[in-house]
Amino acid sequence: MKPKEMYKMMLSESITPLFKEKGYKKKNNVFVREYPEVVQIVHLAASSWNLPDYYDFSIDFTLFSKPYFALMQYELPKSWFNSTLYRPILGGNIQLLKSPRGYIPDYHIVSETNMNKVAEALRSDLVDYILPYIDPLWSTDALIKAIEVAKGQDIFGSLPNIHDEIILYYSLDHKEIAQEKLSEALSIEHENPYYKPKLIEIAEKLGLNYFNLI
């Protein structure tokens, strides 16, 4: 049996039931759980370097905010299984949660691999790291708190972004805080030429004041 087929069998027999118990829907190697405000996605992402005689993959996760799409007047994805073109509110992978300062190899499968051990390691990482992190993040308020924590830890790279905080606070009708976040964001010197235009777009769509801030 080819490594990719071994992976598919493990996914079907050992991993998919775990997600279905949690209320996720599945398509291929992507699992989606949708709430009124938040969409949680776990992707067992295949390496772009895979060949017929080996199969590598890792665990990625992304979190989307439905109020964000509504307030920014963006059309929701027709399918959350095809949401890779959209920027999530939070996103990361098993490496960030399990060992933020170190490197953890991806899961590796060859024809001689003991798939019981791979399945056990994968389920352990999902149960001990990925799902406990994602499970509580089903509301806008929870997303905001997670953003504050992630900013303090500085392990999510370009995510989270202060742009998102403005929109999330506004969606909770905390307009004064949203205005404060906008002021803070506009006071930051940034080399990205799209940084301030994006903030102005947000301010205009939300009706926030930016004229005396630029």
Side-chain angles (χ1 to χ4, degrees), residues 33 85 91 103 126 208:
R33 183 166 59 180
L85 296 178
Y103 173 73
L126 289 169
L208 298 174

Side-chain angles (χ1 to χ4, degrees), residues 17 28 30 37 42 47 52 66-67 74 80 84 89 91 111 115 144 156 181 187 194 208:
N28 299 323
V30 180
E37 297 178 1
V42 180
S47 168
K66 290 182 181 179
Y74 296 155
W80 289 106
T84 54
I89 296 294
S111 58
M115 291 305 296
I144 290 173
F156 285 90
K181 291 290 182 180
S187 70
Y194 300 103
L208 298 174

Side-chain angles (χ1 to χ4, degrees), residues 32-41 62-68 80 89-90 134-144 168:
V32 174
R33 183 166 59 180
E34 192 170 346
Y35 290 98
E37 297 178 1
V38 177
V39 180
Q40 305 170 338
I41 301 175
T62 51
L63 298 164
F64 290 91
S65 163
K66 290 182 181 179
Y68 178 101
W80 289 106
I89 296 294
L90 280 175
I134 292 176
D135 280 350
L137 305 181
W138 54 268
S139 68
T140 301
D141 186 63
L143 274 183
I144 290 173
L168 293 179

Side-chain angles (χ1 to χ4, degrees), residues 123-187:
R123 283 181 63 93
S124 177
D125 283 344
L126 289 169
V127 171
D128 294 342
Y129 294 96
I130 297 291
L131 295 177
Y133 182 80
I134 292 176
D135 280 350
L137 305 181
W138 54 268
S139 68
T140 301
D141 186 63
L143 274 183
I144 290 173
K145 292 176 181 176
I147 285 174
E148 292 298 335
V149 171
K151 284 169 61 180
Q153 293 175 337
D154 191 28
I155 63 173
F156 285 90
S158 62
L159 294 172
N161 193 303
I162 195 169
H163 296 82
D164 302 328
E165 290 185 276
I166 298 167
I167 299 165
L168 293 179
Y169 274 113
Y170 191 95
S171 74
L172 294 175
D173 206 30
H174 298 326
K175 296 179 182 179
E176 290 185 2
I177 300 178
Q179 182 67 58
E180 290 172 5
K181 291 290 182 180
L182 174 65
S183 301
E184 178 188 345
L186 284 170
S187 70

